[in-house]
């Protein structure tokens, strides 16, 4: 019984202390409006986000065979100037590939020559043009495409394999040789100049 009375006293003292604390606020003088500082909410303090229109990516490329049988690639795109792109040529039958990094200037790009010193043997080649990940792009390009390529749109746009955002990829097949080959695929025949 002694423990029960001690517990009741403790609860009673706690209630009285809490009740006594509650009246102190009323005794304080009211704050003047000048001393009240409003803290902006996170939405108010952040700069207004600029809405960026999606960039529906367009890329086209053509290939030409030089007299030394090495391949040159030229193309057009609506990607911003300074955008870094990777141009890859792959021989379909052997999977041997050549690649070069270049950048867009006034809506155009070119790369090459591709191939060994002895030139490219006749056959089918795949030309691929890929916009590099946003993380390696210049700041001006990132501002247009987004820090993870989130402003890119269109059928050429896909997610990277490594989770680094979106990229744009264009590919096309070319046949290299002096005689057009019979094929049912949509390919361009590239002959020596």
């Amino acid at each position: 019984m002694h423990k029960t009375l001690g517990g009741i006293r403790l609860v009673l003292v706690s209630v009285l202390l809490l009740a006594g604390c509650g009246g102190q606020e009323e005794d304080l003088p009211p704050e003047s409006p000048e001393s009240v500082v409003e803290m902006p909410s996170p939405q108010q303090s952040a700069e207004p986000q600029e809405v960026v229109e999606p960039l529906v990516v367009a890329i086209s490329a053509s290939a030409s065979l030089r007299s030394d049988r090495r391949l040159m690639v030229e193309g057009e795109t609506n990607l911003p100037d300074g955008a870094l792109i990777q141009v890859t040529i792959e021989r379909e039958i052997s999977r041997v590939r050549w690649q070069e990094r270049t950048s867009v200037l006034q809506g155009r790009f070119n790369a090459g020559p591709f191939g060994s010193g002895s030139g490219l043997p006749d056959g089918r080649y795949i030309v691929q043009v890929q916009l590099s990940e946003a993380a390696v792009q210049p700041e001006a390009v990132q501002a247009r495409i987004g820090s993870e390529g989130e402003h890119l749109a269109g059928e050429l746009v896909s997610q990277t394999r490594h989770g680094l955002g979106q990229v744009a990829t264009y590919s096309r097949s070319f046949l290299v040789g002096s005689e057009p080959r019979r094929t049912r695929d949509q390919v361009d025949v590239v002959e020596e100049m």
Side-chain angles (χ1 to χ4, degrees):
M1 177 125 182
H2 180 56
K3 285 185 180 180
T4 306
L5 287 176
I8 293 173
R9 280 188 209 139
L10 180 62
V11 169
L12 187 56
V13 169
S14 298
V15 169
L16 289 174
L17 284 177
L18 286 175
C21 291
Q24 289 180 356
E25 285 184 33
E26 294 173 14
D27 297 329
L28 294 175
E31 291 185 34
S32 65
E34 293 80 31
S35 66
V36 175
V37 177
E38 281 190 38
M39 296 301 293
S41 68
Q43 289 92 5
Q44 291 174 337
S45 65
E47 292 292 319
Q49 292 293 330
E50 187 177 319
V51 176
V52 178
E53 288 290 319
L55 174 62
V56 179
V57 179
I59 301 172
S60 63
S62 61
S64 58
L65 199 60
R66 297 178 359 156
S67 58
D68 63 357
R69 293 190 56 84
R70 294 171 71 196
L71 203 62
M72 296 296 296
V73 176
E74 295 181 336
E76 295 183 6
T77 183
N78 64 341
L79 291 168
D81 280 358
L84 299 174
I85 56 175
Q86 183 83 22
V87 179
T88 305
I89 306 295
E90 181 178 308
R91 186 165 188 224
E92 190 175 74
I93 197 167
S94 65
R95 298 290 183 209
V96 172
R97 59 174 50 187
W98 300 267
Q99 55 189 5
E100 181 180 325
R101 182 169 288 198
T102 187
S103 60
V104 175
L105 180 62
Q106 297 178 347
R108 301 192 56 78
F109 61 89
N110 56 47
F114 295 100
S116 62
S118 58
L120 296 174
D122 289 356
R124 180 189 295 258
Y125 293 84
I126 299 167
V127 175
Q128 183 180 72
V129 179
Q130 184 172 55
L131 174 68
S132 298
E133 292 87 7
V136 300
Q137 296 290 346
E139 284 184 26
V141 175
Q142 283 187 28
R144 179 61 185 103
I145 69 171
S147 61
E148 293 185 356
E150 65 269 17
H151 302 309
L152 298 173
E155 62 184 37
L156 300 179
V157 177
S158 62
Q159 199 69 23
T160 64
R161 287 183 265 171
H162 309 296
L164 299 174
Q166 294 189 125
V167 293
T169 306
Y170 166 87
S171 62
R172 186 166 195 174
S173 293
F174 292 90
L175 287 176
V176 172
S178 57
E179 294 180 23
R181 301 226 166 97
R182 293 182 186 210
T183 182
R184 294 183 182 159
D185 295 338
Q186 287 257 335
V187 296
D188 288 338
V189 176
V190 181
E191 298 185 59
E192 286 183 48
M193 299 196 288

